[in-house]
Amino acid sequence: MSAPAIWIILPFIAGVLIIFLLGEKYAAYVGGGISVILSLIALFIPIDTALLLGSVSLKIAPAIEVLGRSFAFSTADGPLLAVIYGLAALWFFGTEASGTANRFVSLGLMIIALLTASIAVEPFLYAALLLEMAAMLVVPLLVPLYQKPGRGVVRFIIYQTLAMPFILFSGWMLAGVEASPGDLGTTIQAGVMLSMGFAFLFAIFPLYNWIPQLMEEASPYSTGFLLWALPTFTVIFALGFLDRYTWLKNTPQISNAILFAGVIMTASSGIFGALQRHLGRILGYAAIAEAGLLLVALGLQSFELVNIVFLILIPRGLELSVWALALSIIKRHAYPLKFSDIQGLARKYPVAVFALLIAHFSMAGFPLLAGFPSRLAVWQELSSQSLAASFWVFLGLFGLLIAAVRTMAAFVMADKEDVKWEWNESWVQTAMLGIGTLGLLILGLFPQVLQPFLTNLPVLFEHLSQ
């Protein structure tokens, strides 16, 4: 069997079957189980390498052709696939605890399959089309049946659709630049087109206004999944783009533009987040700030660029899943999710509140939590390039820290001091939140557990690591 059949076709077909054959009770376990199995296969069975099991030889072929287009994985893709499907398993297992419908698992598997295909397709520019297809599948995930889409959903799909032609045209023009490097006009036009495409994909300031709106309109868990999946694969796509066209990364104007776009995103979203009084909007601005950090990492002039990017990406999936799950549980009791509605909930939902605050502090870069090592690595590299940029990144993260303190104050505030402590979370919710919170603490205290993954991932982008 080929690698694309295992990690693309199989989960896509499983997603289609789940929506028709399984109810809500079993969808989470089946979808999560499939993701765990795919993650373990990627971790322990190398691609394009023969394994002997007794008298049986087992080999996963690296490539497959579909409609004249090649989908290929290499041995170096194994750790990346393991991380992707391992984090996806956390989201799928959490669907029962969050109370989302079974179509979350089915659509989620199909979305992950399409996004995984985007990193395997050749010519790689077709990844833009696959990202667009995945964005379209996100819409039924966010909007319940027979309900009119809100403004956030509409803006999301418009921006994602606008990104596709810019990326495709820029790729076509970059091919011309490679043929005639001295054509300055074509180079400038390609750079502008590429910048516009990734500005829409990354939701660069001020194009991120749909994210806080979406956090108010849609389910926190579904929106959190979107804010994890699409930016993750967009960053991988951007790394592939910079690795293929190395001169883009070596051009100071382009790398500085990437860097300062990330600084503006992180600083502005952190400041806006500190001023919010709605828990969903705060999560949205925190996700924007971390996307800005990823852009800052992409703009660094460092051989450790790839390691820093994945040091941010891996804990990010865990942070968002814990935060979104806790928010979904709290939303059942305090629907608007405003500060005035959540006062005193720390005594009614102690596990959910504790998990939410741990995830929030982690994304703010609080020491001894999962987000701190990556922030420290970014500051260490960024301070040698620009102290002003370091200050604005710090200001953005400090804004998230202020938002975390304000959230904690709202949760513990109560009109009556004699309110008894209760435990309203189910055992499934308690278990999922407990596992996620423990993971955030372990990644903060022992970040070296990520070393086996970070050691091999730079091989995928060898030109960026030289």
Side-chain angles (χ1 to χ4, degrees):
M1 184 175 284
S2 65
I6 295 174
W7 286 288
I8 298 174
I9 298 175
L10 179 61
F12 192 90
I13 293 175
V16 174
L17 294 177
I18 285 173
I19 199 168
F20 291 111
L21 301 180
L22 294 180
E24 296 182 17
K25 183 178 180 180
Y26 301 104
Y29 300 114
V30 173
I34 290 172
S35 298
V36 167
I37 292 171
L38 293 176
S39 178
L40 292 175
I41 292 174
L43 192 60
F44 294 111
I45 302 180
I47 299 170
D48 199 23
T49 302
L51 294 177
L52 287 176
L53 301 176
S55 59
V56 179
S57 178
L58 177 65
K59 182 180 179 180
I60 299 177
I64 190 175
E65 280 201 10
V66 178
L67 300 175
R69 299 290 172 259
S70 175
F71 294 84
F73 291 109
S74 65
T75 305
D77 286 301
L80 179 59
L81 292 169
V83 169
I84 290 169
Y85 279 99
L87 290 173
L90 290 175
W91 285 96
F92 297 148
F93 280 128
T95 53
E96 184 183 355
S98 68
T100 51
N102 68 317
R103 66 176 183 163
F104 179 100
V105 177
S106 57
L107 290 173
L109 276 171
M110 289 188 276
I111 290 167
I112 294 298
L114 287 172
L115 293 174
T116 304
S118 72
I119 63 177
V121 66
E122 290 289 343
F124 85 107
L125 283 174
Y126 282 88
L129 296 173
L130 291 164
L131 288 171
E132 173 66 13
M133 293 170 63
M136 289 181 177
L137 272 181
V138 167
V139 174
L141 189 67
L142 298 173
V143 183
L145 292 173
Y146 311 112
Q147 180 176 317
K148 183 180 178 180
R151 293 177 63 186
V153 177
V154 174
R155 289 186 180 184
F156 158 70
I157 198 64
I158 288 174
Y159 289 166
Q160 295 298 309
T161 303
L162 286 174
M164 184 182 63
F166 283 112
I167 296 292
L168 294 177
F169 279 123
S170 66
W172 171 68
M173 297 178 74
L174 286 171
V177 171
E178 285 186 321
S180 55
D183 190 347
L184 183 60
T186 304
T187 303
I188 294 174
Q189 291 174 0
V192 171
M193 297 284 281
L194 186 64
S195 301
M196 290 296 295
F198 277 106
F200 284 114
L201 280 180
F202 275 105
I204 290 174
F205 177 86
L207 301 174
Y208 59 57
N209 55 356
W210 59 269
I211 296 177
Q213 286 183 339
L214 198 57
M215 287 303 306
E216 287 186 289
E217 299 169 359
S219 161
Y221 201 73
S222 299
T223 309
F225 178 77
L226 161 65
L227 296 178
W228 165 69
L230 281 182
T232 296
F233 285 90
T234 300
V235 167
I236 296 171
F237 178 48
L239 284 171
F241 219 105
L242 294 175
D243 185 62
R244 184 173 297 256
Y245 302 106
T246 315
W247 61 269
L248 286 172
K249 180 61 182 169
N250 295 331
T251 304
Q253 293 85 349
I254 294 177
S255 60
N256 287 336
I258 296 172
L259 176 65
F260 287 109
V263 170
I264 293 171
M265 278 184 72
T266 304
S268 61
S269 57
I271 294 170
F272 290 149
L275 302 175
Q276 300 303 308
R277 302 180 63 84
H278 186 282
L279 294 185
R281 294 180 66 89
I282 291 174
L283 171 55
Y285 281 115
I288 295 167
E290 200 152 38
L293 273 181
L294 287 167
L295 276 178
V296 170
L298 288 174
L300 292 173
Q301 296 292 337
S302 171
F303 296 126
E304 297 296 323
L305 181 153
V306 178
N307 279 331
I308 294 174
V309 167
F310 282 101
L311 190 61
I312 298 172
L313 278 181
I314 296 175
R316 185 174 188 271
L318 186 57
E319 291 164 346
L320 284 174
S321 62
V322 171
W323 195 340
L325 176 56
L327 206 57
S328 298
I329 296 170
I330 292 169
K331 189 173 183 178
R332 296 181 185 181
H333 183 85
Y335 173 71
L337 289 177
K338 295 181 179 179
F339 281 177
S340 57
D341 301 302
I342 64 169
Q343 293 181 3
L345 283 189
R347 301 193 180 198
K348 295 183 178 180
Y349 294 91
V351 178
V353 169
F354 179 75
L356 185 149
L357 291 173
I358 290 293
H360 193 160
F361 278 108
S362 177
M363 291 189 77
F366 199 79
L368 302 183
L369 293 176
F372 178 68
S374 59
R375 276 63 171 172
L376 188 63
V378 168
W379 276 324
Q380 183 176 352
E381 296 291 339
L382 186 58
S383 60
S384 62
Q385 290 186 221
S386 172
L387 288 175
S390 301
F391 168 76
W392 285 105
V393 168
F394 173 80
L395 185 65
L397 295 179
F398 186 69
L400 293 183
L401 188 63
I402 292 174
V405 173
R406 293 181 69 219
T407 301
M408 181 169 61
F411 274 128
V412 300
M413 191 182 301
D415 295 332
K416 299 179 181 179
E417 294 296 332
D418 58 345
V419 177
K420 295 182 179 179
W421 286 84
E422 303 175 13
W423 194 305
N424 291 313
E425 298 90 349
S426 68
W427 70 271
V428 175
Q429 293 170 342
T430 302
M432 291 300 302
L433 291 171
I435 293 171
T437 304
L438 183 63
L440 293 176
L441 293 172
I442 290 174
L443 290 179
L445 294 171
F446 309 103
Q448 61 269 26
V449 299
L450 297 177
Q451 191 61 33
F453 299 99
L454 298 178
T455 301
N456 298 318
L457 286 173
V459 179
L460 295 171
F461 313 99
E462 54 185 357
H463 296 108
L464 293 177
S465 304
Q466 294 175 357

